[in-house]
Amino acid sequence: MSTLRSWFSIPRDSHFSLANIPFGIISTAASPTPRVAVAIGDHAVDLDAFTANNGFQALSIIQPHQTVFSQPSLNAFAALGRPMHTVVRKYIQSVFSADTPYPDVLKNNASLQAQVLVPLEHVTSHLPFKIGDYTDFYAGLHHAYNCGVMFRGSSGAIQPNYKYLPVGYHGRASSIVVSGTPIRRPNGQVLLDPSAEKKIPTFSPCRMLDMELELGAFICKANTQGEPVAIGEAPDSLFGVVLMNDWSARDVQAWEYVPLGPFNSKNFGTTISPWVVLADALEPFKTQGLENDTEILPYLQEKDNKSVYDIQLQVDLKTQSGNTATITKTSARHLLWSFPQMIAHHTITGCNLQSGDLLGSGTISGSTTAQSEMGSLLEQSAGGKKTVKIAGGEERRFLEDGDEVTISGVCGGDEGMLVGFGTCVGKIEPALTLSF
């Protein structure tokens, strides 16, 4: 990738280089109405203000649609389709490039710079989309294997269907929150003694609260109900990607899981990062995912073996006492199924995806047995049998009240050219005390 230089000062270690240009929704104290922005360096570019001041004067194709940038979500912009996302992103890149062909738009316009460039520390980020539906997949093969070994032993760790289709379940869209939103520990039914002959649950706060390192992908192109999206066309349905933490109440999950799978154990909170990295920005980092040793059906076969992204992922845990540790480092290349395959499978029945729908990748863990490559505390603690060292003598099996989990992710190793996501942060609040 050739180096992109800008006239605007961008820290060399910024996730939001000129090679990125992620989209999000912001508000400020001076202008509290949420609207569309992009991130560049340590600033947000208010696209509503940019548009109002004729910032898109040299991009005629977007001019009939400029009201999308005053909307409180990215749904309308996303629905314009990937070709439009591409030209808008490239135009913004050209406006900020060192040799911009449009110097009078922003480079030589100090007055407009003051109106549209807002330090990120002064903005409030909001959910980037109005999310109609949310489906969480289980595409992290190593996570699936590690969990399967715990529950079924090594010989039956991977279920017979796992390598034939992207396994998933429908999650709860209403409890998806933007990074920085506190997560309250849920109450629920738990089985304190699974070995007891008579299985009687107890109602209590979750004792086995977990994080899950995932990616989320937003849909831009709707398909008509009854008409599947072909695998070759599925990339056109992909707007962009965020970091995701699908919080899980493991003890609640263990009791409710049979026969229909996750319910209350997953519906209380899912955190996503605020800036959506466009599929175009991630294109240079596409790589081959995990090899599938099973011959999959034709509707899931991709012509391009490079279908997942080499995103370097990290999870940090900070305790209430202030001790911090990096507990996970891995890569998004450890996925068996790609987002286009998830889209093709999701719609093969004729299910109609819509602009703003969110797909979760499932927990991403590395290929080794090292704790530090595992994307959940369930794996790292072997179901609560081991501890995870933090610092200052602290350790964890699962999350405690006051713990703060931060997920970060970035592509590329060249400073000044990083394509990253920023952070996805959530802090655990104590459960409510309920009386009946």
Side-chain angles (χ1 to χ4, degrees):
M1 185 192 303
S2 60
T3 301
L4 299 176
R5 295 174 54 249
S6 178
W7 56 263
F8 185 64
S9 179
I10 303 173
R12 290 188 58 77
D13 61 350
S14 173
H15 283 199
F16 308 135
S17 72
L18 192 57
N20 194 349
I21 313 296
F23 284 72
I25 300 295
I26 67 163
S27 64
T28 60
S31 182
T33 302
R35 67 272 190 194
V36 176
V38 296
I40 184 165
D42 50 13
H43 284 70
V45 183
D46 183 338
L47 292 187
D48 185 31
F50 185 73
T51 299
N53 287 275
N54 204 23
F56 285 105
Q57 59 187 263
L59 188 65
S60 59
I61 192 172
I62 191 62
Q63 289 173 14
H65 310 286
Q66 289 185 98
T67 57
V68 298
F69 298 123
S70 63
Q71 300 301 308
S73 76
L74 290 171
N75 294 62
F77 174 61
L80 295 177
R82 277 194 67 172
M84 186 69 80
H85 312 155
T86 298
V87 296
V88 169
R89 173 174 170 267
K90 286 183 176 180
Y91 176 75
I92 294 171
Q93 286 177 317
S94 69
V95 166
F96 279 92
S97 66
D99 56 351
T100 176
Y102 317 113
D104 293 335
V105 171
L106 199 58
K107 182 179 180 180
N108 297 338
N109 192 337
S111 175
L112 184 56
Q113 289 182 36
Q115 293 182 62
V116 306
L117 291 167
V118 187
L120 288 175
E121 61 185 11
H122 295 160
V123 308
T124 297
S125 292
H126 303 270
L127 275 178
F129 280 85
K130 182 177 180 181
I131 304 169
D133 275 303
Y134 158 49
T135 302
D136 197 20
F137 286 89
Y138 196 48
L141 173 61
H142 304 310
H143 170 73
Y145 177 79
N146 293 338
C147 293
V149 169
M150 275 188 275
F151 303 135
R152 295 181 295 276
S154 58
S155 61
I158 298 298
Q159 299 281 19
N161 65 347
Y162 186 82
K163 294 184 178 181
Y164 284 95
L165 56 85
V167 175
Y169 72 94
H170 290 286
R172 184 69 187 176
S174 65
S175 54
I176 297 173
V177 296
V178 73
S179 174
T181 306
I183 297 295
R184 186 177 294 281
R185 181 181 299 273
N187 287 289
Q189 291 192 28
V190 299
L191 197 62
L192 297 180
D193 184 7
S195 65
E197 182 176 350
K198 190 172 184 180
K199 304 294 191 290
I200 301 176
T202 298
F203 184 85
S204 77
C206 166
R207 292 166 164 82
M208 301 171 69
L209 184 58
D210 201 0
M211 59 86 187
E212 288 193 283
L213 169 60
E214 300 196 30
L215 296 178
F218 279 106
I219 297 297
C220 63
K221 184 179 180 181
N223 62 295
T224 302
Q225 187 172 5
E227 298 180 11
V229 177
I231 187 67
E233 298 174 1
D236 293 336
S237 298
L238 182 61
F239 177 75
V241 177
V242 292
L243 303 172
M244 192 170 97
N245 187 341
D246 189 34
W247 308 91
S248 298
R250 298 300 189 185
D251 44 359
V252 176
Q253 184 176 3
W255 173 239
E256 74 177 4
Y257 196 83
V258 178
L260 295 181
F263 182 41
N264 282 347
S265 59
K266 297 279 191 175
N267 71 5
F268 61 95
T270 300
T271 304
I272 63 172
S273 52
W275 296 103
V276 187
V277 179
L278 294 189
D280 280 1
L282 292 170
E283 195 72 18
F285 307 101
K286 286 175 68 174
T287 188
Q288 187 168 350
L290 298 178
E291 182 180 354
N292 194 336
D293 55 12
T294 299
E295 185 176 353
I296 59 177
L297 296 176
Y299 78 93
L300 289 170
Q301 293 175 7
E302 295 178 283
K303 292 183 179 178
D304 184 2
N305 288 329
K306 291 186 175 182
S307 58
V308 301
Y309 305 113
D310 189 13
I311 304 168
Q312 300 307 304
L313 299 166
Q314 179 171 314
V315 181
D316 295 290
L317 194 157
K318 180 180 180 181
T319 70
Q320 194 163 21
S321 60
N323 291 317
T324 303
T326 297
I327 60 172
T328 304
K329 281 189 175 183
T330 188
S331 168
R333 68 190 307 157
H334 293 295
L335 290 172
L336 184 66
W337 301 99
S338 69
F339 285 122
Q341 287 175 311
M342 295 177 207
I343 292 168
H345 183 64
H346 203 317
T347 64
I348 195 63
T349 59
C351 174
N352 51 320
L353 298 180
Q354 299 177 6
S355 176
D357 284 357
L358 179 65
L359 307 181
S361 66
T363 304
I364 303 170
S365 295
S367 59
T368 74
T369 57
Q371 270 187 333
S372 60
E373 290 192 23
M374 296 176 178
S376 69
L377 289 173
L378 177 69
E379 296 166 84
Q380 294 192 15
S381 70
K385 297 175 183 177
K386 301 178 181 179
T387 60
V388 178
K389 305 297 182 183
I390 309 298
E394 287 194 271
E395 54 189 24
R396 290 289 184 273
R397 287 180 170 83
F398 292 96
L399 297 172
E400 297 184 7
D401 293 345
D403 285 351
E404 182 177 81
V405 177
T406 298
I407 298 174
S408 57
V410 65
C411 301
D414 297 331
E415 286 198 343
M417 292 291 291
L418 299 178
V419 173
F421 299 79
T423 57
C424 176
V425 182
K427 187 174 183 178
I428 304 303
E429 292 185 336
L432 290 176
T433 300
L434 302 177
S435 58
F436 301 99

